[in-house]
């Protein structure tokens, strides 16, 4: 279920959705800028429980790309994240999964 997102952070694109069972909030962020972006979600009527998970897509440089038949350069990396301060590195996109109470 898509949610309304209010964010005034320049060219950064943010979207959010609630799982059908209401137990997981997913936040997607595209950061086309040359600086890391930190988001502090204000969850009206929702509370997180436990650590968030971040799937982060990026490469070693702005020109990085995958070439068929060669090892992957741009790939998805999974890591734990702090639900109160979501960090999206420069020139990347990330999807965060926040467990809810």
């Amino acid at each position: 279920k898509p949610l309304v997102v209010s964010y005034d952070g320049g060219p950064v694109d943010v979207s959010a959705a609630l799982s059908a069972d209401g137990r997981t909030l997913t936040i997607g962020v595209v950061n086309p800028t040359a600086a890391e972006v930190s988001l502090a979600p204000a969850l009206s009527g929702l509370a997180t429980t436990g650590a968030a998970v971040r799937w982060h897509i990026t490469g070693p440089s702005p020109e990085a790309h995958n070439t068929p038949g060669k090892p992957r350069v741009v790939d998805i990396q999974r890591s734990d994240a702090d639900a109160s301060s979501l960090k999206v590195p420069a020139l990347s996109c990330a999807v965060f999964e926040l467990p809810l109470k």
Side-chain angles (χ1 to χ4, degrees), residues 64-100:
H65 63 281
N66 292 332
T67 302
K70 295 193 176 185
R72 294 181 65 82
V73 176
V74 176
D75 215 340
I76 300 171
Q77 303 165 5
R78 182 188 186 280
S79 60
D80 290 334
D82 178 356
S84 65
S85 179
L86 307 177
K87 300 198 182 308
V88 183
L91 303 171
S92 69
C93 53
V95 174
F96 297 90
E97 190 174 90
L98 289 71
L100 301 175

Side-chain angles (χ1 to χ4, degrees), residues 12-100:
V12 175
D13 186 27
V14 181
S15 61
L18 192 59
S19 63
D21 64 7
R23 298 180 63 187
T24 306
L25 174 64
T26 302
I27 299 174
V29 185
V30 176
N31 179 9
T33 72
E36 179 180 80
V37 171
S38 291
L39 304 173
L43 308 176
S44 179
L46 301 173
T48 61
T49 178
V53 174
R54 176 179 81 174
W55 285 271
H56 172 231
I57 304 167
T58 192
S61 73
E63 295 82 22
H65 63 281
N66 292 332
T67 302
K70 295 193 176 185
R72 294 181 65 82
V73 176
V74 176
D75 215 340
I76 300 171
Q77 303 165 5
R78 182 188 186 280
S79 60
D80 290 334
D82 178 356
S84 65
S85 179
L86 307 177
K87 300 198 182 308
V88 183
L91 303 171
S92 69
C93 53
V95 174
F96 297 90
E97 190 174 90
L98 289 71
L100 301 175

